[in-house]
Amino acid sequence: MASEAASSSGPPLGKYLASTDKKTRDKAIKNLAAFLSDPSRDALPKTEMTKLWKGIFYCFWMSDKPLVQQALASEIAEILLAITKLSVSLQFLRGFWETTVREWNSIDRLRIDKYYMLVRRFVNASFRLLMRADWDQAACQEYNTILTDRGGPLCPEDQRVPTSLAYHLADIYLEELDKALGNPPSESPLPAPLSTLLDPFFTLAARTPTTTTYQRIQSALLDPLYTALDTPHDSDEPPSRKRPRLSTPTFPNLISNACTTRPKEEGALSSAALKKALLKRMFEIASEPDTRDANRRKLYALWKEHMEDDDDGGADSRGVDGS
């Protein structure tokens, strides 16, 4: 049985996680969580993690009822937080993304929605993991590397990566970060280093050869964020007079508790300061030599548009040529 597989020598693999018997799969997942959360457990060899994730992927594949799928997606994602060593959690996360990218094109249309849900759960759990680690700089950089390395969902150079994964991440990224910040592990969580967390999207927008990928990042992530940063969040006027349209995301938890790169030193920045810092970072990446010329022009135009929206934009943009 699955319990036999969860021995000290290795985690439950293959036949247990992908069993046709639901009880066997459920037990294998619980044994897996116990195995990986052992404080004495070091990171698994890459080959073992790959085998492990292939089993998990098909364990989720076999789940066929909406409530079962939702519960299993949450249970698998929560393993990230059950693991006591941050390095092992990040290795588990890398295994998730490498397997997801590799297997994505094999998912049929009847199953794709539940895998979109699984991705959403992992994005949220990843942010909660980094928040629990006080947005440790090395951990955040490793997280970005996982997303942007070859085999990662936001790698601009890897043409094997399905574009639909990048689109989905752009759609949900800020929403899930806002949710995570709304449910912090402590009463006074450090602000999210938003510039660091957005670097993979800035880089993808700069280097992607696909026009639709750039457009999706701008329309689903960059424009909504800059608009939210322009929206008044503290006013003496009645809330009804300041309430945005239902279709306009405001990301209140994110806007009120974010910085650029150094949470402990910076503290939470004002919306105006945060917007200017993000626009500056976007401009810097747009100016890099690896940026595609067509994308550079679009990013410069976006920078100019939002700088001009600021009342103080003229003073801050002097000496910078956005043409």
Side-chain angles (χ1 to χ4, degrees), residues 131 133-136 181 186 188-193 257-259 263-265 267-268:
M131 181 163 46
D134 289 335
W135 304 107
D136 176 77
L181 289 168
S186 62
S188 302
L190 289 173
N257 196 27
C259 63
K264 292 180 181 178
E265 292 83 353

Side-chain angles (χ1 to χ4, degrees), residues 14-293:
K15 62 181 181 180
Y16 299 108
L17 287 165
S19 170
T20 55
D21 179 59
K22 182 180 179 300
K23 290 183 179 179
T24 300
R25 297 197 307 270
D26 290 347
K27 195 167 186 177
I29 287 290
K30 287 180 170 54
N31 287 334
L32 170 63
F35 174 85
L36 291 175
S37 61
D38 183 346
S40 65
R41 186 74 55 200
D42 291 324
L44 293 174
K46 182 175 176 59
T47 54
E48 288 299 312
M49 184 59 76
T50 300
K51 292 177 185 177
L52 175 62
W53 261 108
K54 192 170 184 67
I56 298 171
F57 185 89
Y58 285 103
C59 176
F60 193 63
W61 180 285
M62 302 286 282
S63 61
D64 57 358
K65 296 179 181 179
L67 292 179
V68 171
Q69 293 165 5
Q70 293 170 26
L72 183 57
S74 296
E75 187 175 8
I76 296 171
E78 289 299 315
I79 293 176
L80 269 182
L81 294 145
I83 298 170
T84 53
K85 290 185 177 179
L86 182 58
S87 60
V88 179
S89 291
L90 290 171
Q91 186 210 27
F92 185 71
L93 180 63
R94 181 181 287 275
F96 163 73
W97 279 119
E98 289 180 348
T99 301
T100 300
V101 169
R102 185 175 60 251
E103 303 289 343
W104 191 259
N105 287 331
S106 70
I107 303 172
D108 59 74
R109 63 180 182 83
L110 298 177
R111 289 183 171 91
I112 193 67
D113 284 346
K114 71 177 181 180
Y115 279 96
Y116 278 134
M117 176 179 63
L118 182 63
V119 167
R120 183 183 283 271
R121 295 286 194 276
F122 262 88
V123 170
N124 185 278
S126 299
F127 288 139
R128 287 185 287 130
L129 175 70
L130 295 174
M131 181 163 46
R132 189 177 71 181
D134 289 335
W135 304 107
D136 176 77
Q137 186 174 22
C140 289
Q141 291 299 334
E142 174 64 14
Y143 173 68
N144 284 354
T145 300
I146 289 169
L147 295 181
T148 57
D149 269 355
R150 284 195 170 273
L154 299 179
C155 179
E157 287 86 23
D158 193 344
Q159 298 304 308
R160 299 168 301 172
V161 177
T163 55
S164 56
L165 262 180
Y167 297 169
H168 185 54
L169 278 173
D171 290 345
I172 68 171
Y173 207 71
L174 295 176
E175 179 186 347
E176 294 305 318
L177 178 55
D178 188 68
K179 286 180 186 177
L181 289 168
N183 185 29
S186 62
E187 290 186 5
S188 302
L190 289 173
L194 193 52
S195 181
T196 299
L197 295 175
L198 290 182
D199 256 14
F201 285 98
F202 287 147
T203 301
L204 182 59
R207 299 182 186 176
T208 179
T210 309
T211 300
T212 52
T213 298
Y214 173 86
Q215 291 172 341
R216 187 63 161 260
I217 293 171
Q218 179 172 333
S219 64
L221 189 145
L222 298 178
D223 279 338
L225 175 59
Y226 292 141
T227 299
L229 287 167
D230 280 333
T231 304
H233 289 268
D234 45 5
S235 173
D236 293 331
E237 298 182 20
S240 60
R241 296 181 61 184
K242 286 291 182 181
R243 185 175 300 150
R245 293 178 299 170
L246 292 178
S247 61
T248 305
T250 58
F251 313 117
N253 302 307
L254 174 58
I255 300 305
S256 64
N257 196 27
C259 63
T260 58
T261 59
R262 303 183 307 279
K264 292 180 181 178
E265 292 83 353
E266 296 174 34
L269 299 181
S270 68
S271 296
L274 186 59
K275 181 182 177 184
K276 289 173 185 176
L278 292 175
L279 286 169
K280 179 182 178 183
R281 180 58 181 156
M282 184 181 75
F283 189 95
E284 289 172 350
I285 291 179
S287 303
E288 291 177 351
D290 289 337
T291 298
R292 290 176 175 267
D293 288 341

Side-chain angles (χ1 to χ4, degrees), residues 276 279 302-310 313-314 316-317:
K276 289 173 185 176
L279 286 169
L302 182 64
W303 172 87
K304 185 176 182 181
E305 173 190 345
H306 285 284
M307 287 298 289
E308 289 175 347
D309 284 344
D310 286 337
D316 287 287
S317 60

